Amino acid sequence: MQTRYDTIGVAGAGAMGRGIAQIAAQAGSVVRLYDTQPAAVQKAIQELGAQWDRLLEKGRMDAAAVAAAKERLHPASSLQELADCKMVVEAVVERLDVKRSLFGELEGIVGPDAVLATNTSSLSVTAIAAGLKRPQRVAGYHFFNPVPLMKVVEVIAGLKTDPSVCEGLTEYARQIGHTPVQAQDTPGFIVNHAGRGYNTEALRIAGEGIADFATIDRILRDQVGFKLGPFELMDLTGLDVSHPVMESVYRQYFDEPRYRPNVITAQRLAGNVLGRKTGEGFYRYVDGKAQVPAEPPVPTVGELPPVWVSTRAARRPELYQLLKDLGAKVETGQSPSMQALTIVAPLGFDVTTVAVVERLDPARTVGIDMLIEDGATRRRVLATNPATRADMRDAAHALFARDGKPVSVIRDSGGFVTQRVVATIVNIASDICQQRICTPKDLETAVTLGLGYPLGPLAMGDRWGPTNVLEVLFNMQTVYGDPRYRPSPWLRRRGAIGLSLLQEEN
């Protein structure tokens, strides 16, 4: 197969460098793999050979393709052996000084037309290229681990990058079987920028004592459809990787509140409680399996009280029908009786605020999250307020679990769990588009392929309503007084005129 870059160099034989070398060799490029540790290069070549053999055994590659890939992969004992490469991809440690030093050496070795690409995940491409004589040939080429499975690559232009360099890298990405997305040189680019909301808001919820780690994970898996909850994901990635990225993006944006890190991960990083790799993270691991606490049992309640639903409840007709299907005795008066369990369904506000504003008895008031239609979720989420009586909490839990759907009961929180996390994700994505970091289409592609979200963040906003997301954000900003929740102009304007978040401006 003829590729745009028939000979490439890969500097760095770690997991990322191995992955890039693998897909490039499979696609038809001759690959010269270099590392400052020669033993790491030999180990990488052996591991790739064994991996190709396994692909042959499974029928995913034929014998000729395996033999050709092995023949194209060569060890390089020095940077000088990369002299004939048409492109060199750097995949070394995430330190600006190391990357700048490496490219400084490479500039004097490779040909004048060779492309220098950095696989940096969070450092400025412009800063990496700043000391070079020809910074116009440097671009970001950010792959995701494991490279053969994560089929997206961010192509990033620095301030001085020649457009033809990014065009060539985009074409090559397609030739090696990946989907390229174009990004401006901003902190976190697309994926690591868009991904800030999921973990940081979940940490904030846990830090407020709203729910424990396992409950938050269950809610976001079962209500929204994420493959892994945020704490499962951080355990898989490792806090030695994820926390520094949180801090890096936050600091590079000059302490922007939307990206604020959390003391929970800072403390755990300091204590080497990193996740799966250390056997203990947000979960404890035995033989590689997370030890997840059991869900609290459904309370046994002798006789359920009548139920009254707030006139301002989100999805009120749907909530009424659900209660009837569950066999509840529903009151329809203007106000609840003295015996009634009072159900509220706010967007963004906490149960306490709603009880005060609507002059309801807080002792009998329980909230339910109705941002997402009940039929589309696998879990219901209820919230108490500080005054909710135990018998009313248990009655609500038992009632909403009557049909067998799991129920989580959390403490009072503006926006419950799902509303907070979804609104934060949508808001950050909207601001990425507002800043013109990438197109809405590339953002959706990058996030669904790079993060595995069930929907792209803008599609989430469209599905559950930009006006609903706006209401959650405005109300959360009122509850918490935190500029973290201020809506992006992209979201606010489209919500105001009923325009899809995916709609690009003319």
Side-chain angles (χ1 to χ4, degrees):
M1 181 191 302
Q2 184 66 38
T3 60
R4 180 180 182 89
Y5 301 112
D6 54 6
T7 305
I8 76 164
V10 176
M16 193 66 72
R18 288 198 307 272
I20 296 169
Q22 178 182 344
I23 60 173
Q26 287 176 197
S29 294
V30 172
V31 179
R32 305 199 195 288
L33 181 59
Y34 169 78
D35 194 282
T36 54
Q37 302 295 322
V41 175
Q42 292 301 327
K43 181 182 178 183
I45 290 176
Q46 290 172 2
E47 288 181 357
L48 287 177
Q51 190 164 343
W52 282 322
D53 289 340
R54 287 193 294 272
L55 292 174
L56 174 61
E57 292 171 6
K58 295 177 181 179
R60 295 179 185 173
M61 289 180 70
D62 60 36
V66 168
K70 289 180 177 179
E71 190 173 331
R72 295 187 196 107
L73 181 60
H74 303 280
S77 58
S78 70
L79 285 177
Q80 294 292 336
E81 294 183 36
L82 308 184
D84 65 338
C85 292
K86 301 296 189 295
M87 172 178 65
V88 177
V89 184
E90 165 271 309
V92 300
V93 65
E94 193 74 347
R95 279 178 46 187
L96 180 60
D97 59 336
V98 175
K99 293 178 188 290
R100 292 182 70 171
S101 175
L102 174 61
F103 279 133
E105 289 187 67
L106 283 169
E107 189 173 42
I109 294 172
V110 298
D113 297 325
V115 170
L116 300 178
T118 172
N119 186 60
T120 182
S121 61
S122 60
L123 298 176
S124 166
V125 174
T126 301
I128 291 171
L132 301 181
K133 296 175 183 176
R134 299 190 62 211
Q136 62 268 27
R137 61 165 161 180
V138 179
Y141 212 31
H142 181 213
F143 291 85
F144 296 83
N145 204 23
V147 177
L149 300 179
M150 302 293 283
K151 298 289 188 178
V152 64
V153 56
E154 295 173 324
V155 181
I156 305 112
L159 282 178
K160 295 186 177 181
T161 305
D162 191 303
S164 65
V165 171
C166 288
E167 290 168 8
L169 291 174
T170 297
E171 179 186 334
Y172 186 66
R174 294 193 180 101
Q175 290 176 341
I176 59 179
H178 274 49
T179 300
V181 291
Q182 304 279 342
Q184 296 299 318
D185 187 16
T186 50
F189 312 126
I190 304 175
V191 175
N192 280 329
H193 188 165
R196 291 310 87 217
Y198 191 48
N199 291 348
T200 59
E201 192 61 27
L203 285 162
R204 193 172 170 88
I205 292 165
E208 291 172 20
I210 305 306
D212 60 28
F213 305 134
T215 299
I216 295 168
D217 279 348
R218 289 183 183 116
I219 290 170
L220 291 168
R221 286 198 315 263
D222 292 349
Q223 282 210 315
V224 188
F226 291 104
K227 293 176 184 175
L228 292 174
F231 300 102
E232 293 173 309
L233 180 60
M234 284 186 279
D235 269 5
L236 179 63
T237 305
L239 290 185
D240 55 333
V241 175
S242 55
H243 182 81
V245 172
M246 291 183 208
E247 287 205 357
S248 173
V249 173
Y250 177 63
R251 295 300 180 194
Q252 287 183 79
Y253 268 107
F254 299 99
D255 297 2
E256 162 58 55
R258 290 192 181 111
Y259 315 126
R260 189 184 300 126
N262 195 282
V263 67
I264 293 174
T265 49
Q267 186 181 56
R268 286 167 176 263
L269 177 61
N272 201 43
V273 182
L274 307 180
R276 288 179 181 267
K277 64 181 66 176
T278 57
E280 186 178 5
F282 295 103
Y283 300 94
R284 191 168 57 85
Y285 294 85
V286 176
D287 297 327
K289 187 175 181 180
Q291 305 301 293
V292 181
E295 289 203 53
V298 178
T300 300
V301 177
E303 183 177 351
L304 291 173
V307 180
W308 182 86
V309 177
S310 165
T311 57
R312 302 181 188 180
R315 298 186 186 275
R316 191 166 184 255
E318 183 182 329
L319 184 51
Y320 257 120
Q321 187 59 53
L322 172 61
L323 287 166
K324 290 177 182 178
D325 292 343
L326 293 171
K329 180 182 177 182
V330 181
E331 294 185 355
T332 56
Q334 285 295 104
S335 59
S337 69
M338 295 299 292
Q339 296 75 40
L341 165 65
T342 304
I343 299 295
V344 297
L347 294 176
F349 279 129
D350 55 2
V351 178
T352 300
T353 300
V354 175
V356 171
V357 170
E358 298 188 20
R359 298 183 178 180
L360 303 171
D361 179 3
R364 294 183 288 119
T365 303
V366 174
I368 182 170
D369 188 353
M370 294 295 290
L371 173 68
I372 301 174
E373 59 273 24
D374 183 74
T377 70
R378 301 194 309 272
R379 178 176 296 272
R380 300 184 182 113
V381 178
L382 306 178
T384 58
N385 69 76
T388 303
R389 292 193 332 234
D391 63 321
M392 288 295 171
R393 177 199 64 208
D394 291 350
H397 189 168
L399 172 61
F400 283 102
R402 264 185 168 179
D403 59 357
K405 183 175 282 193
V407 173
S408 291
V409 182
I410 64 173
R411 296 181 182 87
D412 208 1
S413 166
F416 297 87
V417 172
T418 291
Q419 291 178 24
R420 289 178 67 157
V421 172
V422 167
T424 301
I425 289 171
V426 173
N427 197 34
I428 289 174
S430 296
D431 219 51
I432 288 173
C433 293
Q434 183 65 48
Q435 295 177 47
R436 304 301 193 270
I437 291 171
C438 63
T439 65
K441 181 181 178 182
D442 273 2
L443 187 146
E444 297 290 282
T445 298
V447 171
T448 51
L449 292 179
L451 295 175
Y453 285 4
L455 290 171
L458 301 178
M460 282 185 196
D462 278 354
R463 177 167 178 179
W464 295 309
T467 54
N468 288 337
V469 175
L470 272 173
E471 185 174 350
V472 170
L473 290 167
F474 280 130
N475 292 342
M476 284 174 60
Q477 197 172 7
T478 299
V479 170
Y480 289 103
D482 192 336
R484 173 184 180 83
Y485 303 114
R486 71 193 189 283
S488 164
W490 181 276
L491 173 61
R492 183 170 53 79
R493 291 172 183 139
R494 280 157 180 74
I497 59 179
L499 192 67
S500 166
L501 298 181
L502 289 161
Q503 179 70 47
E504 294 191 50
E505 293 181 10
N506 295 324

